[in-house]
Amino acid sequence: MDPTSQRPSLLVTAVIAALAALLGVGACAAVVASPRVAGHPHGGSGPRSVSDLTGAVDGPPDVRFTLTARAAPITLPDGSTIDGLTFDGRAPGPELRVRQGLLVEVVLRNESVPEGVTLHWHGLDVPNAQDGVAGVTQDAVPIGGEHVYRFRPQQVGTFWYHSHQDAAATVPRGLFGALVVEPAEPAGTAPADTVLLGHSWPRRGQESIPTVEGSFGAVAPGTRVRARLVNTDSDTQTWTVTGAPFRVVAIDGVDVHGPTDLRDVRLRLPAGGRYDVELTAPPGPVAIGVGAASTVLGDGPAPEPPSDGPVFDPLHYGTPAPTPFDADGPFTSDQTLVLDTVVGRSRGIPTVRWTINGRLHDDLPPIRVTEGDLVRVTLRNEGTDPHPMHLHGHHALVLSRNGDTATGSPWWTDTLLVEQGQEYVVAFRADNPGIWMDHCHNLTHAAAGMVLHLEYAGVSTPFVVGDANTPE
């Protein structure tokens, strides 16, 4: 039997973890051999280039930002420092707030990040040329270079931006920030509104330090409060809201229909995912956070979060509403993606790789579609790790999980956590032409090859993955 195709046993996994400890590095770093190949091309052939798929972006911008990427030390809450990466000298980078439909221009400059940098607008379904993926939709911006992004956001909700150049190494060290799209015409009284970014800062040879970046100002009791929770890590985060009932009002930038009150319910948020929660500020304090890291709304000591209890399930939360298609289709494309874990050796070193349909990135055929196709995808996890699967440029409607049909609010997602042993069926309309990444947002898994592409007929790319373009 080919050793690269064997499923790892618990014993093998334990041996690899022990090897990693002996080497003095993180387990993932010790056992992953990257499949990157210099000069690896992406994309099909056709008359349209990804560079031409810009959207309607002519004219002067309505709002303009400049983000300058720099290498700089970052001081952590315990007083230690890391060799960080910043936007405008800050980590996380500046929060960007824009209105739906306005022409947004963002100028990215690289002052001193040696890996290079791009900007990907996670969850915002921008035209393909603006997607910010090195080697697919642009070249990475080197030191001294710049790149201009222009787009008109059509969605309203919570998103975030991060570099998609050597992302597994650069995002954990600080190249990320929040992006919020507000309605073009706000209706009614807006709630007190805060973005909370959950992030674990890496330290060489030590455990990472978890933080919740963001805080509330003075909020009077009785005020409606919206907290936008964003997981910027590579692992699942369990968020809690303690001290008041709350509702989940949006998932991955899409409103939930008919949300109901929850109390002491834990929110398992996939890597890259977002939940918006709303509550009414009570007289006492409310703690919102991940484990021991939290921020407090109101005055007084933070209430203790529940250590166990029910977990929020979007499949049956809220009330049904019309959708442009349902589980009956009819579908013009059916795809199955089997997520798995394989163990082997590379240059004599034990390696763990995470595969899709038994293959890695450079050997994995794309999903090919024609504009207008209705695509149904079955995602089945037969491996040993959870995988937060992120499709760029599209939101998918969750139809079922393990044969259990979705019955709550329509659950639209761009970052879906597929746990071990789970099978999800989702569907999306191919209505955003281009060449799009579809990958695990555990960035270590992606860097090790858990990446495929969604390719539209007639679209090609001039960009190539190689030494200067390493998107994962």
Side-chain angles (χ1 to χ4, degrees):
M1 180 180 291
D2 181 353
T4 62
S5 64
Q6 297 179 46
R7 296 272 296 278
S9 66
L10 293 177
L11 176 60
V12 171
T13 304
V15 169
I16 291 171
L19 175 63
L22 288 173
L23 292 175
V25 296
C28 288
V31 300
V32 171
S34 173
R36 295 172 182 151
V37 176
H40 178 71
H42 286 289
S45 60
R48 289 191 295 177
S49 167
V50 297
S51 300
D52 299 328
L53 300 173
T54 60
V57 292
D58 292 335
D62 297 300
V63 59
R64 186 176 190 268
F65 304 97
T66 299
L67 294 176
T68 302
R70 301 186 183 98
I74 295 173
T75 301
L76 302 180
D78 68 347
S80 63
T81 60
I82 64 170
D83 294 329
L85 302 172
T86 67
F87 286 119
D88 291 0
R90 299 165 55 182
E95 179 180 307
L96 308 183
R97 282 192 180 245
V98 300
R99 291 205 180 275
Q100 179 187 25
L102 295 185
L103 179 55
V104 178
E105 180 177 283
V106 182
V107 179
L108 170 64
R109 293 175 177 154
N110 184 357
E111 182 176 294
S112 56
V113 176
E115 295 90 344
V117 65
T118 70
L119 288 175
H120 167 60
W121 316 99
H122 187 113
L124 192 63
D125 300 337
V126 296
N128 196 217
Q130 318 298 342
D131 197 41
V133 179
V136 181
T137 64
Q138 68 172 92
D139 287 325
V141 180
I143 292 176
E146 74 173 36
H147 187 91
V148 179
Y149 302 87
R150 290 166 68 90
F151 53 86
R152 295 180 184 274
Q154 300 304 313
Q155 301 146 273
V156 171
T158 304
F159 310 96
W160 63 299
Y161 63 88
H162 62 81
S163 181
H164 228 300
Q165 160 68 6
D166 204 2
T170 59
V171 174
R173 293 164 57 204
L175 288 186
F176 66 93
L179 170 65
V180 176
V181 181
E182 298 177 332
E185 299 293 337
T189 302
D193 189 322
T194 297
V195 178
L196 301 179
L197 301 164
H199 192 73
S200 297
W201 296 97
R203 298 184 297 171
R204 186 180 299 274
Q206 302 180 63
E207 290 187 0
S208 60
I209 293 184
T211 61
V212 172
E213 306 287 345
S215 61
F216 295 95
V219 176
T223 301
R224 186 163 59 100
V225 175
R226 188 182 192 105
R228 303 173 185 265
L229 316 181
V230 184
N231 181 353
T232 64
D233 280 349
S234 281
D235 294 320
T236 307
Q237 295 174 347
T238 299
W239 287 74
T240 54
V241 180
T242 313
F246 66 95
R247 295 173 296 141
V248 177
V249 296
I251 298 173
D252 287 352
V254 181
D255 286 348
V256 171
H257 186 257
T260 55
D261 279 352
L262 303 168
R263 190 164 197 137
D264 295 331
V265 171
R266 296 176 297 155
L267 306 173
R268 282 178 55 78
L269 193 55
R274 291 89 61 214
Y275 285 164
D276 288 19
V277 301
E278 284 196 1
L279 57 91
T280 299
V286 176
I288 304 177
V290 183
S294 66
T295 189
V296 178
L297 168 68
D299 297 324
E304 191 71 22
S307 57
D308 56 16
V311 174
F312 174 66
D313 185 4
L315 198 70
H316 303 298
Y317 180 73
T319 57
T323 57
F325 51 84
D326 57 28
D328 296 326
F331 300 98
T332 50
S333 176
D334 252 308
Q335 306 288 330
T336 297
L337 304 180
V338 178
L339 316 177
D340 209 343
T341 315
V342 298
V343 65
R345 301 182 73 83
S346 176
R347 299 177 182 176
I349 299 174
T351 64
V352 171
R353 289 176 177 168
W354 297 272
T355 62
I356 301 174
N357 293 343
R359 298 183 179 187
L360 298 173
H361 172 239
D362 294 332
D363 188 42
L364 190 58
I367 296 175
R368 291 188 170 92
V369 297
T370 299
E371 189 172 357
D373 280 352
L374 184 57
V375 186
R376 179 169 56 190
V377 182
T378 299
L379 294 146
R380 185 165 62 250
N381 188 345
E382 296 183 355
T384 60
D385 299 275
H387 297 295
M389 298 304 294
H390 174 49
L391 173 61
H392 290 208
H394 305 74
H395 275 66
L397 178 66
V398 177
L399 303 179
S400 67
R401 181 185 60 227
N402 296 341
D404 185 11
T405 301
T407 60
S409 168
W411 176 10
W412 294 92
T413 180
D414 59 68
T415 312
L416 180 65
L417 178 63
V418 187
E419 303 266 18
Q420 302 95 309
Q422 286 186 338
E423 178 180 281
Y424 276 92
V425 179
V426 305
F428 66 91
R429 179 72 69 183
D431 57 4
N432 196 1
I435 298 173
W436 302 96
M437 285 190 76
D438 186 0
H439 65 101
C440 179
H441 218 273
N442 182 316
L443 297 176
T444 300
H445 295 182
M450 202 169 200
V451 177
L452 79 160
H453 289 83
L454 175 73
E455 294 183 359
Y456 280 68
V459 178
S460 62
T461 177
F463 306 106
V464 176
V465 169
D467 291 337
N469 288 324
T470 54
E472 303 89 2

